[in-house]
Amino acid sequence: MDEEDLLDENIPAKSKVIGALNLVEDDDETATKKDSSGVVRSFSNVVRWISDSITGSGKGKHGNVLLDHLRNSTMFRYCTEEQRQRVANAMERIRFRKGDVLMIQGEPQLEAYVIVEGTVVRKRLIEDQLHLMGPLGYAGSKDSIGLLHLLKKEPAYSTVQATSDGYAYILDSEVFHELLEEDPTFSQDVICSLVNELRHQTIVQRTPLFLQTGKNLPTEPLPWFAISCAAAVESFYRSGLNSILIRQLTGEPAAFFPNMQIQTPTRILYINGFKGLRHLFETQIDLSDYPNPQLMGLALALVPGIVMSPISSILEACNVGHKNPEPLVIRWTRGLMPRCLREVIFGVGINQLSDYFEERLDNVFTSTTTRNMAGSLLAGCVAGYLSHIPHNLSTLKLLEPKTSYKTHFKNLAEPW
């Protein structure tokens, strides 16, 4: 099956597409259509570049918009401002309409595009199936298309179709070769840009789930003190949130901060327990020693939640004394099984899933702090959604221990 058969019906043939893309100067309404061989554009660009190099008269002819895009381009990111200005002077401005095709997969890459206004979509045919392709390389280079295949006029990686009206700048392959040959320093800086991008891609972290390791922290004494202080603060707002949840589940008022003399030290033990168990496992157990490291990592990820379940049960039991008059030594055992499941999900979310998401946000956020915060928020959302049913079941069992789990689940499933 031909690629064109899989593209949208409104995609015209390449010869019509290229003819429809008008080369326009910023202040010149007359359009010069591109010759299908590209000779006219190549010759005019070379002449213009030579003139600009000698006289400097072309400096800044496209303004800062194009330069901003070149600064973020994978290929020109580490070039000098003067070098990027010369590239900009050698480019031509075109308009495109919605539905126009700028390039077709497999055909020689004769020009590269920098999209300045409007949107395009990249489509690649893989084994008779059409796929939408995301941008490659540096996060800001998504508007640069075709640069990596321009040097040797290699086959285009994908078909590029406009999804809205807009305009772009074209860099001709022959003109690009002239720029590289005339200025060895520019060639070196282009290579440096590509090498830095390649180096960046090789260090992108994609650790499989359950094989994450925690960040290296000093053993004495600040981290544990800081964690304990944070846990003490958390004990108050968690107690308040639990009281709100109990009010919602029962329709009866509940104290916001009951038994804080028990909750606060227990919460500190709970949080330090999760962190400490992970640290213990990572320092004492080498997953690579096992035939299936990821399976062993899964087993170790479940342990903190199971171990911390009794401590979590004490925290939960402190909030329901007004509804369940049983002594705390007995009350904490109510709803233990679903609470254990909840703690396992929490443990994976705190220790594994947060690092898993943080790694995959490397190209989204440049700040380490922002990535850490976003990863924790995403992990919290996933863990919170998966654990809300066992959490509510364990709470209902704490409140009404004589009612069966089946009845609690049925009541929970019915709309309030």
Side-chain angles (χ1 to χ4, degrees), residues 66 223 276 339:
L66 177 56
R339 191 174 302 109

PDB file of all heavy atoms in Angstrom, residues 66 223 276 339:
ATOM      1  N   LEU A  66      12.728  34.550  13.877  1.00  0.00           N
ATOM      2  CA  LEU A  66      13.450  33.389  13.354  1.00  0.00           C
ATOM      3  C   LEU A  66      14.643  33.047  14.229  1.00  0.00           C
ATOM      4  O   LEU A  66      14.924  31.868  14.491  1.00  0.00           O
ATOM      5  CB  LEU A  66      13.897  33.667  11.919  1.00  0.00           C
ATOM      6  CG  LEU A  66      14.731  32.575  11.242  1.00  0.00           C
ATOM      7  CD1 LEU A  66      13.996  31.244  11.267  1.00  0.00           C
ATOM      8  CD2 LEU A  66      15.081  32.973   9.810  1.00  0.00           C
ATOM      9  N   PRO A 223      18.882  14.784  57.544  1.00  0.00           N
ATOM     10  CA  PRO A 223      17.726  14.275  56.801  1.00  0.00           C
ATOM     11  C   PRO A 223      16.651  13.691  57.688  1.00  0.00           C
ATOM     12  O   PRO A 223      15.459  13.937  57.481  1.00  0.00           O
ATOM     13  CB  PRO A 223      18.351  13.219  55.878  1.00  0.00           C
ATOM     14  CG  PRO A 223      19.754  13.669  55.707  1.00  0.00           C
ATOM     15  CD  PRO A 223      20.138  14.244  57.021  1.00  0.00           C
ATOM     16  N   GLY A 276      13.185   4.758  55.777  1.00  0.00           N
ATOM     17  CA  GLY A 276      14.260   3.940  56.326  1.00  0.00           C
ATOM     18  C   GLY A 276      14.301   2.540  55.745  1.00  0.00           C
ATOM     19  O   GLY A 276      15.377   1.998  55.479  1.00  0.00           O
ATOM     20  N   ARG A 339      -6.643  -1.942  54.691  1.00  0.00           N
ATOM     21  CA  ARG A 339      -5.666  -0.899  54.997  1.00  0.00           C
ATOM     22  C   ARG A 339      -4.267  -1.338  54.580  1.00  0.00           C
ATOM     23  O   ARG A 339      -3.456  -0.515  54.124  1.00  0.00           O
ATOM     24  CB  ARG A 339      -5.689  -0.580  56.493  1.00  0.00           C
ATOM     25  CG  ARG A 339      -4.902   0.674  56.857  1.00  0.00           C
ATOM     26  CD  ARG A 339      -5.065   1.041  58.312  1.00  0.00           C
ATOM     27  NE  ARG A 339      -6.460   1.246  58.661  1.00  0.00           N
ATOM     28  CZ  ARG A 339      -7.174   0.423  59.410  1.00  0.00           C
ATOM     29  NH1 ARG A 339      -6.607  -0.677  59.916  1.00  0.00           N
ATOM     30  NH2 ARG A 339      -8.434   0.669  59.681  1.00  0.00           N
TER      31      ARG A 339
END
